Amino acid sequence: MKVIETLNAPGAIGPYSQGFVVNDIVYTSGQIPVNPVSGEAPEGITAQAEQSCKNVAAILEAAGSGLDKVFKTTCFLANMSDFAAFNEVYAKYFTSKPARSCVAVKTLPKGLLCEIEAIAEL
């Protein structure tokens, strides 16, 4: 088991890791749309979805994987009315069309609009 850590994605805001590699499978923690340099989140679902996708990509890259090797994602939206806009951004990054669950939740950390976690092969 190997812990994944990168400065190219936001650090954990709680007692968890950015990701793990176990038996050649990468598991990322849910990535909220926080810029790892500024610590700030952009406004709006489109910009937030972009940042969450970039954060997932950074963790996968640090593990030696990539978005093209993702086979399962779980996506959390603060408002299901953002589903179409979120999908437009998501489709640009997850071109292999991994299996996915996408649910609306009552709230996300820091009042953000989306969060994405992924499972990928190395």
Side-chain angles (χ1 to χ4, degrees):
M1 189 163 61
K2 176 184 170 190
V3 177
I4 305 305
E5 293 182 61
T6 179
L7 296 176
N8 296 324
I13 58 174
Y16 59 89
S17 301
Q18 290 173 319
F20 269 89
V21 175
V22 180
N23 297 327
D24 293 331
I25 302 293
V26 182
Y27 299 86
T28 73
S29 290
Q31 293 303 298
I32 56 176
V34 171
N35 180 299
V37 175
S38 70
E40 300 296 320
E43 296 289 324
I45 187 61
T46 299
Q48 288 194 17
E50 289 270 354
Q51 188 63 58
S52 286
C53 289
K54 289 176 183 177
N55 292 344
V56 170
I59 294 169
L60 293 171
E61 183 178 314
S65 186
L67 291 172
D68 61 325
K69 297 186 181 215
V70 172
F71 58 86
K72 173 69 169 92
T73 62
T74 304
C75 305
F76 306 93
L77 300 176
N79 190 331
M80 199 50 81
S81 66
D82 288 334
F83 187 73
F86 176 84
N87 274 341
E88 282 187 43
V89 175
Y90 177 95
K92 292 188 316 186
Y93 287 88
F94 295 94
T95 57
S96 63
K97 297 183 180 179
R100 180 179 95 172
S101 300
C102 186
V103 298
V105 295
K106 185 174 179 180
T107 57
L108 287 167
K110 300 185 176 203
L112 295 167
L113 302 175
C114 64
E115 181 172 343
I116 303 170
E117 63 182 42
I119 304 171
E121 65 181 354
L122 282 182

